[in-house]
Amino acid sequence: RAAAARSVQWPYCRKHCSYCSFNKYVVPAVDEAAVRACLVREAQTLLRLGHVRSVTSVFFGGGTPSLAAPRTIAAVLEAAAEVAYLPAGAEVTLEANPGSADPARLSGFRAAGVNRLSLGVQSLDDAELRLLGREHTAAEARAAVEAARQLFPGRTSLDLIFGLPGQSHEAWARGLEAALGLCDDHLALYQLTLERGTALEAQVRRGALPEPPEELLADMYLSARTALAAAGFHQYEVSNFARKGARSTHNLSYWRAEQYVGVGPGAHGRFVPWGEGGRQREARVQTPHPDAWMREVRSCGHGTRRRAALSPLDQLQEVLALGLRTDEGVTQQRWGLFSPRLSLEAAFGAPGEARELQERGWLRLNGRALRCTPAGLPLLDSLLPALLCQLRRRWNAVQEEDGGGRDSR
Amino acid sequence: MSLTGRTVWWWVRLRRPCLTAAPRGPAVWLPTGLAACQRFYSSRDKEKIDMSAYPVESIRNFSIIAHVDHGKSTLADRLLEITGTIAKTDRNKQVLDKLQVERERGITVKAQSASLFYNYKGVNYLLNLIDTPGHVDFNYEVSRSLSACQGVLLVVDANEGIQAQTVANFYLAFEAQLAIIPVINKIDLKNADPERVEKQIEKLFDIPVNECIRISAKQGTNIDKVLEKVIEKIPPPQCNTTDPLKALVFDSTFDHYRGVVANIAVFGGEIQKGHRIVSAHTNKRYEVNEVGILTPNEQPTHKLYAGQVGYLIAGMKEVTEAQIGDTLFMYKQPVEPLPGFKSAKPMVFAGMYPVDQTEYNNLKSALERLTLNDSSVTVHRDSSLALGAGWRLGFLGLLHMEVFNQRLEQEYNTSVILTAPTVPYKAVLSSAKLIKEHGKSEITIINPAQFPDKHSVSEYLEPTVLGTIITPQEYIGKIIVLCQDRRAVQKEMLYIDEHRVMLKYLFPLNEIVVDFYDALKSLSSGYASFDYEDAGYQAADLIKMDILINGNPVEELSTIIHNDKAYATGKYLCERLKDAIPRQLFEIAIQAAIGKKIIARETLKAYRKNVVAKCYGGDITRRMKLLKRQAEGKKLMRKIGNVEVPRDAFIRVLKRQPEK
């Protein structure tokens, strides 16, 4: 009945990176057969629950999923194909660390069904890699990229991090240039977020490392955009750049607020659980700890820890916050799927916050979509609160016209 | 004024009935052989107690005065326990401090009281204990409390010794010619040095060492001795039950179900249910529905007699009907009204405005109710172009202002915009036109917006206070520098023992109003203490300074200041404001101006990048929560031009950071 993207979480890592606050575990030995069995079981349970007929893309994230055996990846893909249609050309991405991306492994993954690789290069400077707590060196990263491009030509992506404590603008520009000389057709540039609970954040808070100044971060981001544009890359999302149409369909479907099913410890999902009698889209979170998650999967087929029904307004707010991150913005068509009663035009065309932001040249609304201009995109988080205010106001007005109850959430 | 020659007052206060119930269980511990008391407790909800059992000779009215944290409220708890007024449990903490704000801050804001019953040498005594506020801002309440007493317990911490407020409180009691019983508390502490404190008391207050009682209120040591001394050393009040009824309304509260509950002190005659009484102030007639005492909860009695204190409910429906200071008398038996209370003198003024003008009426009624319970706040209607209709309120000090604001929020669920606090300046006018306009040549300026131009003024005046500082000697140097920086003039310096010094300075009031106390505490590691009293006006070179955000004046931050301080204050305010305003999508200029002249400027740069890098995988739920909160928060922002300023930014700006 429904189509959905699917994220699969492999929760284990060999080492903690100093900046990472993801749900990941470093354990001496992983009982891979057990984890595999549970991933397979949960994948099937949730796909059935969501009445998912067709899986549009699969993304193996983590953790470090390149540490898993190729047969685990194969098993999960087969499991999906058993309960839903998995088209032959569907994008299947695996996140890989250069430390576990030798040619032999990578060809194993390709044989298992992976057809796109996202490499966590992060930096091509050994000192920066040490600061980030990565286990690979710049040379290993280069070798991994070479190997990946051989096996996944046109479908290899590189992740880079900028805004490290103490990193100069010049160092970042050099690193980016080196990456451009090495990369394939997809790049993701992430500004380092100092997340609470990470070693790096603690060092900055203690004053042991300098906090990168905001102005410098803005310079790094804006100049990187220029450099990438010059190299033929198109920015199709805040942090994602592609050329020759090498966009990630999986991530696009996420930003388009399509349905996705999250499988594995700590995975998140957004889908309608028809199989449980649900009628509303739910936000679902799977149990984070792998052992607890496995116990739950064994006893009830899935390890969903939290479910929250999303009201129509909640969903619209997500459509807006995610869609505006992309170059296509929130299209009229997509908006209409979530909001048959209040059109994009009616919500944001009337005088109000959106109009002001358009006048300043940060936002554009036309017959096709509402989207950020290139000038507005870097300011999105300052635009969103105002847009959410206007949306809620217009939404409540329509509800009142309809005589229905106000949705104050 | 001699004690015997003047009218004796009681001053008690009723708790707000809807707040925390007193922790008084059914298992009340009773002193044996106390008939009246037992009858009272065994049937306290049904049968009323007969107050005629307590003639004037067996009544004692006393207060506890102390520097903040010296244990006043703990001693009060113990006295309530030992007399069986409340159950003896380890849950009794600050029993008389009923307000949420009092418990949160560990201070007493409103005077409270309780009637205690105590049998001593075979006589049943009625002891009225009046707990007093412990902060300099509430000295006014202390004075009102003291005027209800014939004696005080002066509590001093055995470790900290005499502090500035101990001195101030002592003089309040001394000048009122009350019996003073020094009590040295916290003798259980490891560093307690009661002998040193006794010597300080002897040196400073001229009270012989052997008159001090050493106690530990926390552990209950020597509490009975305190009660003995109260009975032996404090004289009973002097008045007569055979006189015609004369009762003073000294406080009142509003109860949603019963209307106004007036707190009264009976100066002559007696009063009971059914009596027809008249208010001397309004000449309105009422029939008494209920009288009773406070224990500290309301306890109905048959009657109240001369010398006694309690509450009265008499069908007053409007809060304004129970005028504080009013005299009640029997219908057709008018008496000479009592002089009433002098109204409190506000030292700090600030504008108060509803965040949203549609909230004006709600805020108005909240203000009316709260000011009924706190008559020391003065209220004038005011309005401003930027903030709409509001009020200019007068407070006793900055803590008083904060507490009032907190009570508005906690008890009335309102939120408001408060402007920068200012002190009451004066201007001597030279312009004939202005003099005619005001009908006088000297005007008081409580709102910077009304500051008259230099050209029409012959002299500006600022209020001053005489401040007392007590400090360990090692901080003297820093404190002297601080005082000089605050334009203060030294008046006195005295060693109260080998290590401690008492300093007296004449301060311009505006220099201490906002943060002097915090600065003093911080540079003396908390050891120096401070108190002050009114010291009249002095000439001063004053100017009005405006703060502009992108050229638009911020009315909340307009201040009247001394010319010498304009540049430094302007620069400081701009810097602080820059930190308090979040970056926005355009550049923001923050300026300080005197007239048209800009004297300081800070620039808050526009955001060039504000977008979270990674937004896939799991964290969208958390992210949406944050965005929704920010969207909600936008409604609460104050807009100055197109700049959004968080509502608490101005208060944060005005409260200085701890010294760097």
Side-chain angles (χ1 to χ4, degrees):
Chain A
R1 181 161 186 181
R6 197 157 63 100
S7 305
V8 181
Q9 297 294 310
W10 176 266
Y12 302 104
C13 288
R14 264 206 298 253
K15 182 172 184 294
H16 287 288
C17 296
S18 62
Y19 60 92
C20 177
S21 66
F22 280 19
N23 180 48
K24 82 281 171 188
Y25 302 85
V26 176
V27 294
V30 176
D31 181 357
E32 185 155 350
V35 179
R36 181 188 311 132
C38 288
L39 285 173
V40 164
R41 174 131 189 239
E42 185 172 59
Q44 295 193 328
T45 311
L46 293 180
L47 288 173
R48 286 197 181 109
L49 209 60
H51 287 189
V52 176
R53 291 282 164 79
S54 165
V55 174
T56 50
S57 62
V58 182
F59 191 97
F60 290 91
T64 311
S66 55
L67 291 175
R71 57 180 290 227
T72 298
I73 304 299
V76 174
L77 290 172
E78 279 156 25
E82 276 170 27
V83 296
Y85 174 54
L86 179 60
E91 181 185 282
V92 178
T93 307
L94 178 87
E95 277 188 336
N97 273 353
S100 49
D102 54 274
R105 272 192 94 73
L106 291 185
S107 52
F109 288 128
R110 192 174 67 168
V114 172
N115 55 25
R116 186 175 179 273
L117 207 68
S118 171
L119 266 179
V121 170
Q122 318 309 4
S123 167
L124 291 168
D125 178 284
D126 284 339
E128 288 181 1
L129 288 168
R130 277 195 298 276
L131 180 63
L132 292 171
R134 302 292 288 177
E135 56 167 5
H136 65 269
T137 62
E140 283 165 336
R142 286 173 183 278
V145 177
E146 300 294 342
R149 289 189 62 182
Q150 291 282 321
L151 287 159
F152 305 96
R155 302 193 52 111
T156 297
S157 172
L158 268 59
D159 281 3
L160 295 176
I161 294 183
F162 68 93
L164 277 62
Q167 188 183 35
S168 69
H169 193 194
E170 294 69 37
W172 164 235
R174 271 199 310 277
L176 185 62
E177 206 183 303
L180 279 171
L182 185 68
C183 72
D184 199 14
D185 295 329
H186 193 282
L187 273 174
L189 310 185
Y190 296 116
Q191 179 185 311
L192 176 71
T193 312
L194 292 167
E195 298 279 1
R196 275 198 85 86
T198 62
L200 214 51
E201 190 270 345
Q203 280 173 287
V204 171
R205 186 153 35 88
R206 277 204 317 269
L209 285 172
E211 187 173 355
E214 279 189 31
E215 286 306 300
L216 176 63
L217 294 171
D219 286 340
M220 286 177 164
Y221 180 68
L222 298 174
S223 68
R225 285 209 312 181
T226 313
L228 287 178
F233 281 88
H234 183 76
Q235 180 176 23
Y236 72 102
E237 193 261 352
V238 169
S239 305
N240 284 268
F241 299 79
R243 61 185 170 195
K244 300 177 197 159
R247 303 172 174 215
S248 157
T249 38
H250 180 86
N251 284 342
L252 269 177
S253 67
Y254 170 73
W255 296 314
R256 286 172 180 156
E258 286 167 6
Q259 290 207 100
Y260 59 99
V261 176
V263 176
H268 289 240
R270 291 279 188 285
F271 63 92
V272 183
W274 301 103
E276 283 175 353
R279 289 287 172 276
Q280 246 179 333
R281 178 184 282 221
E282 287 184 357
R284 291 182 156 240
V285 187
Q286 308 308 108
T287 296
H289 197 279
D291 297 342
W293 169 80
M294 282 194 274
R295 274 198 300 278
E296 288 165 32
V297 173
R298 285 193 197 108
S299 68
C300 47
H302 64 89
T304 303
R305 173 59 58 95
R306 250 193 353 251
R307 310 170 39 180
L310 295 169
S311 73
L313 180 60
D314 286 333
Q315 295 182 41
L316 274 184
Q317 288 172 333
E318 289 195 5
V319 167
L320 190 69
L322 291 169
L324 286 180
R325 293 181 66 85
T326 64
D327 61 339
E328 66 183 22
V330 181
T331 61
Q332 301 273 9
Q333 180 221 350
R334 178 141 304 277
W335 183 268
L337 293 178
F338 287 88
S339 173
R341 182 74 182 77
L342 176 70
S343 72
L344 198 56
E345 194 68 48
F348 300 109
E353 291 87 339
R355 177 76 64 84
E356 272 175 47
L357 297 174
Q358 284 189 70
E359 280 160 13
R360 290 179 193 219
W362 291 319
L363 207 63
R364 199 160 292 159
L365 175 65
N366 57 25
R368 207 183 67 78
L370 176 74
R371 61 191 176 87
C372 286
T373 63
L377 193 62
L379 301 171
L380 180 58
D381 289 357
S382 291
L383 312 183
L384 279 173
L387 294 174
L388 292 179
C389 275
Q390 184 169 5
L391 171 59
R392 182 177 304 180
R393 230 173 28 242
R394 299 292 301 131
W395 178 266
N396 286 338
V398 168
Q399 298 296 302
E400 268 166 30
E401 272 171 37
D402 289 357
R406 265 173 70 104
D407 187 342
S408 59
R409 291 215 25 101
Chain B
M1 184 162 52
S2 86
L3 177 69
T4 46
R6 73 175 193 166
T7 326
V8 176
W9 291 351
W10 287 263
W11 150 241
V12 290
R13 217 184 85 65
L14 196 62
R15 74 186 189 98
R16 281 175 49 78
C18 60
L19 288 173
T20 44
R24 200 176 74 180
V28 173
W29 179 82
L30 289 172
T32 46
L34 247 173
C37 191
Q38 267 168 347
R39 188 166 69 241
F40 164 36
Y41 277 104
S42 59
S43 55
R44 64 189 145 91
D45 293 327
K46 300 263 160 49
E47 206 177 307
K48 290 174 182 173
I49 119 179
D50 181 4
M51 294 302 287
S52 65
Y54 298 97
V56 164
E57 313 83 73
S58 61
I59 297 176
R60 298 289 183 275
N61 298 300
F62 69 104
S63 228
I64 310 177
I65 55 179
H67 190 76
V68 65
D69 279 344
H70 280 198
K72 178 168 43 74
S73 297
T74 314
L75 176 57
D77 291 346
R78 288 302 91 74
L79 292 176
L80 295 184
E81 282 173 10
I82 198 173
T83 55
T85 308
I86 57 171
K88 193 172 181 177
T89 76
D90 45 11
R91 280 175 295 129
N92 292 330
K93 285 198 175 123
Q94 285 186 269
V95 169
L96 293 180
D97 293 338
K98 304 297 182 197
L99 303 176
Q100 189 182 345
V101 56
E102 294 181 316
R103 286 165 174 269
E104 279 173 12
R105 292 175 179 244
I107 56 170
T108 304
V109 172
K110 287 296 290 182
Q112 300 282 350
S113 119
S115 297
L116 319 177
F117 302 93
Y118 192 65
N119 185 289
Y120 180 61
K121 293 187 176 165
V123 181
N124 290 333
Y125 287 92
L126 169 61
L127 311 177
N128 290 313
L129 158 64
I130 294 112
D131 191 17
T132 60
H135 187 276
V136 48
D137 278 4
F138 303 102
N139 258 354
Y140 161 77
E141 295 249 340
V142 177
S143 310
R144 289 216 309 201
S145 305
L146 293 189
S147 58
C149 300
Q150 290 75 48
V152 297
L153 299 172
L154 178 68
V155 177
V156 186
D157 183 311
N159 184 14
E160 291 191 354
I162 289 180
Q163 297 293 313
Q165 220 180 325
T166 321
V167 180
N169 281 333
F170 169 82
Y171 282 107
L172 284 176
F174 184 75
E175 280 159 19
Q177 303 199 10
L178 305 186
I180 297 171
I181 303 169
V183 174
I184 298 175
N185 190 21
K186 307 197 190 180
I187 55 166
D188 56 305
L189 289 186
K190 207 168 64 192
N191 295 324
D193 189 354
E195 265 161 51
R196 180 174 63 89
V197 178
E198 282 165 2
K199 279 185 197 143
Q200 286 178 349
I201 289 173
E202 187 166 39
K203 174 156 187 186
L204 221 52
F205 304 146
D206 215 10
I207 299 175
V209 166
N210 61 13
E211 287 192 18
C212 296
I213 318 173
R214 295 182 185 184
I215 69 158
S216 162
K218 192 173 158 211
Q219 300 187 341
T221 318
N222 282 344
I223 304 300
D224 48 343
K225 275 200 190 154
V226 173
L227 286 170
E228 283 168 26
K229 287 264 190 176
V230 164
I231 290 164
E232 282 173 0
K233 296 198 70 178
I234 298 176
Q238 299 195 330
C239 45
N240 209 329
T241 44
T242 55
D243 288 345
L245 172 70
K246 193 181 210 181
L248 176 77
V249 178
F250 57 85
D251 200 1
S252 59
T253 46
F254 185 81
D255 183 300
H256 282 289
Y257 303 103
R258 297 183 297 175
V260 174
V261 182
N263 295 4
I264 57 166
V266 186
F267 289 89
E270 52 184 60
I271 188 165
Q272 68 180 80
K273 181 177 175 172
H275 275 167
R276 296 216 289 168
I277 56 167
V278 181
S279 148
H281 182 72
T282 61
N283 251 325
K284 279 193 184 170
R285 250 188 292 163
Y286 301 95
E287 187 175 317
V288 177
N289 297 333
E290 184 178 321
V291 293
I293 58 167
L294 298 159
T295 66
N297 299 335
E298 287 168 27
Q299 170 61 47
T301 60
H302 289 293
K303 288 182 179 181
L304 286 175
Y305 298 89
Q308 295 176 351
V309 184
Y311 68 91
L312 161 138
I313 299 171
M316 296 176 178
K317 289 190 184 64
E318 292 290 322
V319 289
T320 47
E321 286 176 88
Q323 189 79 27
I324 289 172
D326 194 2
T327 303
L328 304 175
F329 57 85
M330 210 61 79
Y331 180 53
K332 288 190 172 162
Q333 293 179 48
V335 295
E336 179 74 12
L338 294 154
F341 291 111
K342 220 170 40 177
S343 55
K345 196 168 139 196
M347 303 284 253
V348 179
F349 290 84
M352 179 176 276
Y353 297 86
V355 174
D356 180 345
Q357 279 292 318
T358 59
E359 289 290 302
Y360 180 87
N361 282 325
N362 291 342
L363 182 56
K364 183 169 172 240
S365 85
L367 270 180
E368 274 169 5
R369 287 182 186 177
L370 192 51
T371 47
L372 178 84
N373 292 343
D374 185 354
S375 62
S376 52
V377 177
T378 62
V379 182
H380 300 279
R381 277 237 302 279
D382 201 357
S383 71
S384 107
L385 229 62
L387 302 171
W391 300 267
R392 184 137 287 255
L393 305 185
F395 301 98
L396 303 171
L398 200 73
L399 177 72
H400 184 211
M401 174 170 123
E402 280 180 28
V403 163
F404 187 84
N405 191 22
Q406 199 175 337
R407 289 187 66 189
L408 263 182
E409 284 179 5
Q410 289 176 344
E411 296 168 33
Y412 296 91
N413 194 26
T414 60
S415 49
V416 296
I417 296 170
L418 268 180
T419 65
T422 176
V423 300
Y425 293 106
K426 286 182 176 176
V428 182
L429 301 172
S430 58
S431 139
K433 184 169 161 264
L434 278 184
I435 294 174
K436 201 176 163 202
E437 217 172 88
H438 289 279
K440 56 193 171 189
S441 62
E442 190 179 285
I443 57 165
T444 302
I445 311 151
I446 58 170
N447 186 342
Q450 297 153 356
F451 191 71
D453 191 77
K454 210 173 183 169
H455 303 298
S456 43
V457 165
S458 61
E459 196 178 31
Y460 294 111
L461 302 170
E462 66 178 344
T464 61
V465 293
L466 185 64
T468 302
I469 298 167
I470 291 185
T471 175
Q473 60 185 3
E474 59 262 41
Y475 303 111
I476 291 180
K478 285 189 196 167
I479 290 173
I480 288 176
V481 171
L482 174 70
C483 292
Q484 281 167 353
D485 182 48
R486 301 304 177 103
R487 301 190 285 127
V489 179
Q490 196 181 87
K491 294 289 177 194
E492 196 184 329
M493 182 161 153
L494 171 80
Y495 274 79
I496 61 169
D497 61 23
E498 304 90 88
H499 305 293
R500 276 159 205 269
V501 183
M502 180 171 81
L503 297 160
K504 292 209 170 192
Y505 272 90
L506 188 69
F507 286 92
L509 176 61
N510 83 313
E511 295 286 343
I512 58 157
V513 128
V514 175
D515 64 339
F516 177 80
Y517 189 65
D518 293 340
L520 181 73
K521 279 283 171 196
S522 122
L523 66 76
S524 66
S525 308
Y527 285 114
S529 61
F530 179 65
D531 204 341
Y532 61 80
E533 59 190 274
D534 183 13
Y537 276 77
Q538 70 182 17
D541 183 8
L542 302 174
I543 48 165
K544 181 188 166 201
M545 183 173 72
D546 294 312
I547 299 292
L548 314 174
I549 293 183
N550 277 358
N552 298 299
V554 182
E555 213 159 315
E556 295 96 315
L557 293 178
S558 285
T559 42
I560 297 166
I561 51 168
H562 196 268
N563 202 0
D564 293 353
K565 297 237 155 171
Y567 179 76
T569 309
K571 186 167 181 299
Y572 173 81
L573 283 178
C574 289
E575 282 168 6
R576 288 298 310 257
L577 198 53
K578 185 184 174 189
D579 293 340
I581 300 177
R583 286 180 79 177
Q584 296 178 26
L585 290 165
F586 39 81
E587 183 171 288
I588 298 168
I590 302 162
Q591 297 166 307
I594 295 167
K596 291 212 162 61
K597 189 174 148 215
I598 303 294
I599 58 164
R601 173 184 172 126
E602 290 287 327
T603 305
L604 188 60
K605 287 200 176 150
Y607 259 131
R608 292 171 56 222
K609 176 178 190 290
N610 180 31
V611 62
V612 72
K614 206 152 190 167
C615 204
Y616 59 72
D619 50 7
I620 182 68
T621 303
R622 212 175 67 189
R623 177 107 205 99
M624 290 311 298
K625 253 186 208 159
L626 177 71
L627 284 170
K628 286 176 196 171
R629 207 166 49 230
Q630 286 172 345
E632 272 302 299
K634 277 180 99 67
K635 288 189 207 153
L636 300 175
M637 295 274 193
R638 165 119 154 72
K639 273 215 153 192
I640 293 168
N642 53 357
V643 181
E644 289 177 334
V645 182
R647 267 193 306 116
D648 61 346
F650 302 130
I651 293 289
R652 265 169 37 216
V653 165
L654 297 165
K655 285 173 97 178
R656 293 192 198 176
Q657 288 168 314
E659 303 292 305
K660 282 178 189 159

